Amino acid sequence: MQAARLHEYTDEMSTALQIDDIERPTVSASNGVVVEVQGAGWCQTDNHIIEGMWAEYVDQPLPMTLGHENAGTVVETGDEVQLVEEGDPVICHPVQTCGICRPCRQGEDMYCENSKFNGLTTDGGFAEYLSTNERAVIPLPDGVDPIDIAPHADAGITAYHAAKKAVHELNPGDTAVVIGIGGLGHIGLQCVDAMSAPDIVAVDVKDEALDLATALGANHTINPTTDDVVAEIDALTDGTGAAQVLDFVGADETTGYAPDIVAAGGDHHIIGYGGHVHEPSQALVNGEFSFRGTLVGQYTELQELVALVERGDVELRTTRYGLDEVNTVAEHLEHGEIEGRAVITP
């Protein structure tokens, strides 16, 4: 089969991945599942993997097939698999968990002590077939296209995971700020809107992204290139600040807003990454606000997100590309030229 593989870390996106002919995966465990990939979302994390940003955090055997937002059709199952059978359409949680370690017993999939992360620590879905396991696959409802929903396997669940934490702290009439209305941000905004009743403020440097935010439910929009973000949020909240901030950019500038825009006792959720947090400890003590990280989400949260998609509460803006266009997609994303999510169709 053909697969788009990373052979060495590089900053040059135009030649980042090679299309190789490799062996098609087969079931090697009783809980194994092989999926014919119909859609695999391209994520900013793929660019970061290519650049080597994850090398110091996880073991990455190269060459490796990238792609951690996968959906398709089951073509083979292990002897003990009961959840799905051949021919079933599925979306795949990116992490294959063991189910028996303490974090798994507590439902904390992302903390599994024996996990495999498709496209990050083991071969992913920028290929014709993907090897995963029963604990990672979620059957899709009738009428849900695997290609269209594929990016929800990471972009969607990550945005949902952050939104769910924020919604738990939001009351009707509070202010929630969503920074970055891109591939993840436009999902997160819809999740906040679907699950709570705050005033939603969207922040983005692109007017077209702010137009999208308005169409998806934002009550107010701010463009940092023309507006003073701190002053605008101060005015919108009568000086109290935003109860919850969801930062889908994670740059130095956006994390730096926190002391001035987060309400006392509120949270600044960091979902996008690449920047730094430079605030003095006294700023956190004075405002008693928190920075909270977001790492993908639980299997059950992906199930919940699929339910929102099926109900029409969350829509995804996607553009489709062939497997031979992976490096073009990497370049476009690096330059901020992709609206919504790019989906590779092997």
Side-chain angles (χ1 to χ4, degrees):
M1 71 172 185
Q2 288 195 316
R5 292 167 68 78
L6 176 67
H7 286 254
E8 60 181 1
Y9 301 122
T10 179
D11 293 329
E12 183 49 65
M13 294 299 154
S14 63
T15 56
L17 303 184
Q18 292 181 205
I19 306 298
D20 296 337
D21 285 314
I22 63 173
E23 289 290 325
R24 199 205 93 165
T26 57
V27 166
S28 58
S30 60
N31 68 340
V33 177
V34 175
V35 174
E36 183 176 7
V37 180
Q38 292 175 259
W42 188 285
C43 179
Q44 185 69 54
T45 293
D46 291 309
N47 287 50
H48 292 328
I49 293 169
I50 289 167
E51 293 164 339
M53 284 181 60
W54 279 92
E56 65 178 284
Y57 295 96
V58 297
D59 292 329
Q60 292 183 314
L62 300 184
M64 182 176 68
T65 305
L66 299 197
H68 54 272
E69 300 180 347
N70 306 304
T73 303
V74 174
V75 294
E76 187 180 355
T77 61
D79 293 339
E80 295 184 2
V81 173
Q82 299 180 31
L83 179 63
V84 294
E85 59 185 23
E86 184 177 336
D88 286 349
V90 295
I91 185 170
C92 306
H93 191 289
V95 176
Q96 301 174 48
T97 55
C98 70
I100 58 174
C101 67
R102 182 169 175 80
C104 279
R105 298 291 193 187
Q106 294 175 320
E108 295 291 355
D109 300 309
M110 295 309 302
Y111 307 155
C112 175
E113 296 170 357
N114 307 294
S115 67
K116 296 179 181 179
F117 198 126
N118 288 114
L120 182 66
T121 66
T122 190
D123 284 339
F126 293 157
E128 295 176 73
Y129 295 90
L130 172 76
S131 176
T132 183
N133 70 13
E134 184 177 24
R135 286 181 56 83
V137 294
I138 294 175
L140 291 176
D142 292 340
V144 175
D145 188 335
I147 298 176
D148 290 337
I149 202 172
H152 280 311
D154 177 45
I157 189 179
T158 301
Y160 178 84
H161 182 55
K164 188 175 181 179
K165 289 188 292 184
V167 164
H168 183 70
E169 305 295 337
L170 285 169
N171 294 309
D174 284 346
T175 296
V177 174
V178 180
I179 302 174
I181 313 302
L184 273 76
H186 86 287
I187 303 169
L189 188 154
Q190 293 176 82
C191 291
V192 171
D193 188 44
M195 298 191 293
S196 60
D199 290 326
I200 300 176
V201 181
V203 180
D204 201 289
V205 297
K206 297 180 181 179
D207 287 334
E208 57 269 30
L210 296 176
D211 290 340
L212 174 60
T214 299
L216 295 177
N219 304 100
H220 310 279
T221 60
I222 300 173
N223 188 326
T225 64
T226 56
D227 303 320
D228 184 323
V229 173
V230 174
E232 291 291 327
I233 293 175
D234 188 71
L236 288 169
T237 62
D238 294 327
T240 62
Q244 297 289 302
V245 175
L246 290 83
D247 185 351
F248 290 95
V249 177
D252 288 21
E253 181 180 0
T254 59
T255 62
Y257 290 144
D260 298 316
I261 68 171
V262 180
D267 299 305
H268 187 113
H269 300 266
I270 298 178
I271 305 110
Y273 61 95
H276 306 82
V277 176
H278 292 295
E279 302 313 315
S281 56
Q282 186 177 350
L284 278 75
V285 171
N286 182 55
E288 205 174 34
F289 73 91
S290 302
F291 286 104
R292 301 182 67 179
T294 300
L295 179 64
V296 194
Q298 300 168 356
Y299 177 97
T300 52
E301 290 175 322
L302 186 52
Q303 289 178 310
E304 293 161 14
L305 178 59
V306 170
L308 287 179
V309 171
E310 186 181 18
R311 287 172 44 178
D313 290 331
V314 175
E315 63 179 83
L316 188 62
R317 304 295 174 93
T318 62
T319 305
R320 300 181 182 187
Y321 298 86
L323 187 63
D324 59 346
E325 298 177 281
V326 286
N327 292 330
T328 299
V329 173
E331 274 196 295
H332 286 339
L333 188 59
E334 192 73 7
H335 298 125
E337 297 170 353
I338 290 179
E339 298 297 330
R341 303 296 286 185
V343 181
I344 307 301
T345 56

